[in-house]
Amino acid sequence: MTEEKKFDRKEEFDRELERVTAMAEQVVRSHLPKAQGEQAKVVEAMNYSVTAGGKRLRPVLMWETFRMCGGRGEEVIGCFMAAIEMIHTYSLVHDDLPAMDNDRYRRGAETTWYKYGDAMGILAGDGLLNYAFETALKALEYCVEKEDTTDREKLLQVGRVQQALSVLAKKAGIHGMIGGQAVDIAQEENSGRTPGEEQLLFIHEHKTAALIQAAMMSGAILAGASREQTGKIEKCAYNVGIAFQIQDDILDVVGDSRELGKATGSDAENHKHTYVGLKGLERAREDVETLSREAAAILDDFPGEHAFLRELVLHLIYRRK
């Protein structure tokens, strides 16, 4: 394993996170559609949703995994960075709808349906999901048009794009995020029955971890990682997603509402089934620790520079807000 840079100081990590997040923000905005023509209103609503705020964590995770696996160049990976953020944003737009969580505000701003109407909110979410794949498919044009590569190299890159598209589609669909959301809704409707650990983990894996897996796996694939390496990244991202969700449950019990920016105790108040409720606070903390150590160990097996990625993963898992 090569010697790599360490982030010994929080200030150093924060500066790097700010820099990479700004880069991801620029990439995402550069791929947004123009609000013009007869359909300008729905495009305006789409762009409002994407630019209303967000930490751009999934594009950042994708970029850093791409770098760790030896990826070079920004055109192809940039298409996928924008696509994953569009998919994430569409899921939030639909989560906020009256038929789902019925939220009027997100991050201090009006939610898309509340600002544009629930019909336009639905269409804006639909538009973002579809446009995400339009954007990701643009990567094929960059592969074919690149002049400084051989035909064999172009073919290899096209194959990687196709593989990454397959992962993105599956992790966002009925076998991923949508499937997890559907099971979660069904569980809420069947409120008299408490889910077991297996079902709760299914929901967390598909609803939360799936898009983190899509981000990190796509980054690895586009960089040319082997099938074995991509499998390890999938496991790492699974751990990150599950630990992230468990930590979210923990913060709802013991977090500082001033740091979180929202009231704590809402899970218990709403009779929501959580990992903490199922396993208890102490066991939940132990499982977060185990999952985070495993995720860090997987990254440490990769020879590429990954100090920031490792720190970012731990930062997400152990966040206090």
Side-chain angles (χ1 to χ4, degrees):
M1 190 173 69
T2 57
E3 187 67 25
E4 60 176 329
K5 182 180 179 181
K6 301 293 182 185
F7 286 87
D8 295 323
R9 297 174 58 193
K10 182 180 182 299
E11 295 84 359
E12 186 182 0
F13 169 78
D14 288 345
R15 282 196 301 271
E16 183 65 8
L17 178 59
E18 184 177 354
R19 185 191 70 79
V20 180
T21 301
M23 180 274 292
E25 179 73 30
Q26 185 177 3
V27 169
V28 170
R29 285 176 179 261
S30 72
H31 285 281
L32 292 177
K34 296 187 186 307
Q36 57 191 21
E38 292 294 323
Q39 69 273 44
K41 181 60 71 174
V42 71
V43 178
E44 179 187 324
M46 289 163 59
N47 291 347
Y48 170 81
S49 307
V50 176
T51 58
K55 298 177 181 177
R56 311 307 187 206
L57 293 173
R58 289 153 193 83
V60 168
L61 286 169
M62 183 184 290
W63 170 253
E64 290 299 324
T65 306
F66 177 74
R67 285 184 61 246
M68 179 183 71
C69 293
R72 297 289 183 271
E74 297 179 5
E75 294 88 355
V76 171
I77 191 68
C79 294
F80 277 82
M81 289 169 66
I84 196 76
E85 189 65 15
M86 290 174 192
I87 292 172
H88 171 60
T89 303
Y90 116 80
S91 73
L92 300 181
V93 170
H94 279 188
D95 277 351
D96 291 334
L97 287 167
M100 303 282 272
D101 293 340
N102 194 26
D103 285 326
R104 296 184 175 188
Y105 294 92
R106 180 180 287 275
R107 306 186 189 104
E110 291 179 337
T111 54
T112 306
W113 79 265
Y114 190 57
K115 182 176 177 66
Y116 291 94
D118 55 351
M120 195 60 71
I122 293 169
L123 290 173
D126 292 344
L128 282 170
L129 177 58
N130 195 82
Y131 198 72
F133 287 97
E134 289 186 55
T135 303
L137 279 164
K138 291 177 184 177
L140 291 173
E141 298 175 19
Y142 289 115
C143 295
V144 173
E145 294 173 0
K146 200 168 183 181
E147 296 180 355
D148 59 343
T149 56
T150 65
D151 288 344
R152 182 177 180 278
E153 288 171 331
K154 288 178 182 178
L155 261 175
L156 281 172
Q157 191 60 42
V158 165
R160 291 166 185 164
V161 169
Q162 291 174 334
Q163 188 182 348
L165 276 167
S166 179
V167 167
L168 193 63
K170 183 175 181 179
K171 296 295 185 182
I174 57 171
H175 300 293
M177 182 179 63
I178 291 175
Q181 182 70 31
V183 174
D184 192 27
I185 289 172
Q187 183 59 52
E188 288 178 5
E189 291 173 348
N190 190 13
S191 57
R193 181 182 173 190
T194 302
E197 181 179 0
E198 185 176 343
Q199 187 175 45
L200 195 59
L201 285 175
F202 178 94
I203 293 170
H204 290 347
E205 175 185 358
H206 292 78
K207 187 178 175 181
T208 304
L211 276 198
I212 295 175
Q213 289 177 314
M216 296 182 73
M217 290 172 71
S218 295
I221 290 166
L222 293 172
S226 67
R227 188 177 297 274
E228 180 184 1
Q229 289 174 321
T230 304
K232 290 179 179 179
I233 290 296
E234 183 175 24
K235 169 59 177 168
C236 175
Y238 168 86
N239 281 28
V240 173
I242 299 298
F244 183 94
Q245 186 58 56
I246 296 174
Q247 181 70 4
D248 202 51
D249 295 346
I250 291 171
L251 289 174
D252 191 72
V253 176
V254 302
D256 186 328
S257 60
R258 291 170 297 181
E259 284 189 85
L260 292 170
K262 61 180 181 180
T264 57
S266 60
D267 289 342
E269 185 179 330
N270 296 326
H271 306 290
K272 185 177 179 180
H273 301 299
T274 68
Y275 198 86
V276 172
L278 184 68
K279 294 285 193 176
L281 188 59
E282 185 177 349
R283 174 63 186 275
R285 283 171 165 162
E286 289 173 359
D287 288 349
V288 166
E289 179 69 19
T290 299
L291 288 164
S292 65
R293 286 183 182 276
E294 287 179 359
I298 290 170
L299 294 178
D300 286 340
D301 274 343
F302 281 79
E305 203 284 315
H306 62 272
F308 174 72
L309 178 59
R310 188 183 195 279
E311 194 70 22
L312 176 60
V313 163
L314 296 177
H315 171 76
L316 293 177
I317 292 173
Y318 289 113
R319 74 197 187 286
R320 297 184 59 83
K321 60 181 179 179

